[in-house]
Amino acid sequence: MKLLFVSIGLLGLLAVALTMNVVRLRRKKRISLGDGGDKETLAAIRAHANFMEFVPLGLILILTVMNLYSGPIAGILAAALVVCRLLHAGGMLGFVGQGRFLGAAGTVLVFVVASILVILGALGGKPF
């Protein structure tokens, strides 16, 4: 359970970091709304937006897995989601080569595994 909660906390901190990065760039480049046509700001906005598009559903799936199975399984999925979202954000912002691809692919894999576990659990066919 501890891994699950630590991972959720880390995702919250990553959301704050991505938000503050957008704020920092907009202030630095004097952009009040949107990206102002600046590629670096656009990348920061998309890294933040992509995080906000995927993480809430991911956490709903993972917390549902926790309710159907156990904390350790959910913790592993949550930790994987943290790694994937860090890779994706790092790739979007130019810090991690291939990070965008690896993070996106990993996030999809976490979603697939969690979704299948939820469906099986709901139908009574728990694999473990």
Side-chain angles (χ1 to χ4, degrees):
M1 265 313 212
K2 192 180 290 187
L3 180 59
L4 172 65
F5 295 133
V6 168
S7 296
I8 291 171
L10 290 172
L11 288 167
L13 291 175
L14 182 54
V16 171
L18 291 170
T19 299
M20 295 310 298
N21 188 47
V22 172
V23 170
R24 179 187 65 80
L25 286 170
R26 282 184 174 154
R27 290 187 78 183
K28 176 182 170 185
K29 298 176 183 218
R30 298 177 186 218
I31 300 168
S32 64
L33 184 63
D35 60 34
D38 180 73
K39 288 184 179 188
E40 182 183 19
T41 304
L42 174 61
I45 290 169
R46 284 306 309 146
H48 175 262
N50 190 278
F51 181 94
M52 298 309 285
E53 292 161 4
F54 281 93
V55 171
L57 177 58
L59 288 177
I60 290 169
L61 288 166
I62 290 166
L63 291 171
T64 304
V65 167
M66 180 191 73
N67 285 328
L68 291 169
Y69 298 94
S70 69
I73 296 164
I76 291 166
L77 288 169
L81 187 60
V82 170
V83 170
C84 293
R85 298 322 303 169
L86 282 168
L87 282 169
H88 185 271
M92 287 289 295
L93 300 174
F95 301 123
V96 181
Q98 296 297 312
R100 182 178 176 197
F101 169 76
L102 294 172
T107 298
V108 169
L109 182 60
V110 168
F111 272 48
V112 168
V113 170
S115 296
I116 289 170
L117 288 173
V118 168
I119 291 167
L120 291 175
L123 296 176
K126 296 180 182 179
F128 39 87

